[in-house]
Amino acid sequence: AQSVTQLDSHVSVSEGTPVLLRCNYSSSYSPSLFWYVQHPNKGLQLLLKYTSAATLVKGINGFEAEFKKSETSFHLTKPSAHMSDAAEYFCVVRPPGGGGFKTIFGAGTRLFVKA
Amino acid sequence: DAGVIQSPRHEVTEMGQEVTLRCKPISGHNSLFWYRQTMMRGLELLIYFNNNVPIDDSGMPEDRFSAKMPNASFSTLKIQPSEPRDSAVYFCASSLEIGTTEAFFGQGTRLTVV
């Protein structure tokens, strides 16, 4: 069975400070892990993905995430927040062979960026 | 590629009316997903197709909901009759469904049933 838990429903940071959005997963096999971002009134956009290659994954807009198997975590980070980063972020776990209903979305973390 | 295209972007309809949402997946993708997003429930997978065949529709909330994929480049999600509680944003997504490929999402259709 798979599950994904986003540990914070809301995160608030000041512009220019680091961002940390936490995600823990459980899976009985080696999953693929993704982070998506959703800006208001927009669809979901892929930020980055982990597919059993390098454990530190770099994505778009300066975001990166590190896969830590021992901690079953895939936290999303960015060194310096920008106002345009304010959005909702979803952590997603998917089995290696694909599969629609085996794709699990986290509940989402809403990021607020203060000027 | 233009990405996943959904239409309409917004739909307002009266309770009891039929609503049809449309989706054009990315060319070459062989899996298509319909999701519903609400504040209360977050993102819910309603149904997904692989090679135009519905694989699992257990996420479809009621018999009022139906989805079709007559060919590789078009899918519809129909609600008949619509109810106010169906108000949500409906997303279509497509993927290559090979190994570890990600899903690409459309912009969504915001449905309001009054």
Side-chain angles (χ1 to χ4, degrees), chain A residues 1-71:
Chain A
Q2 294 186 124
S3 68
V4 59
T5 303
Q6 292 185 240
L7 297 166
D8 307 292
S9 60
H10 298 86
V11 169
S12 182
V13 301
S14 297
E15 192 175 22
T17 63
V19 176
L20 170 64
L21 305 183
R22 298 182 294 167
C23 173
N24 284 102
Y25 72 93
S26 74
S27 178
S28 52
Y29 35 67
S30 297
S32 295
L33 296 160
F34 307 82
W35 275 99
Y36 283 84
V37 61
Q38 184 180 27
H39 288 92
N41 301 314
K42 300 286 187 183
L44 280 75
Q45 180 186 18
L46 181 70
L47 274 180
L48 49 81
K49 65 178 180 180
Y50 166 76
T51 57
S52 75
T55 57
L56 182 62
V57 182
K58 294 188 183 299
I60 62 171
N61 301 336
F63 284 94
E64 61 182 38
E66 186 171 7
F67 174 70
K68 291 186 177 180
K69 187 174 182 178
S70 60
E71 299 176 9

Side-chain angles (χ1 to χ4, degrees), chain B residues 14-39:
Chain B
E14 290 185 344
M15 182 173 64
Q17 296 298 307
E18 177 182 298
V19 175
T20 299
L21 313 180
R22 297 173 177 78
C23 175
K24 181 181 187 309
I26 292 173
S27 177
H29 284 189
N30 58 15
S31 287
L32 183 140
F33 309 83
W34 281 102
Y35 288 89
R36 179 172 68 176
Q37 186 179 39
T38 62
M39 289 292 292

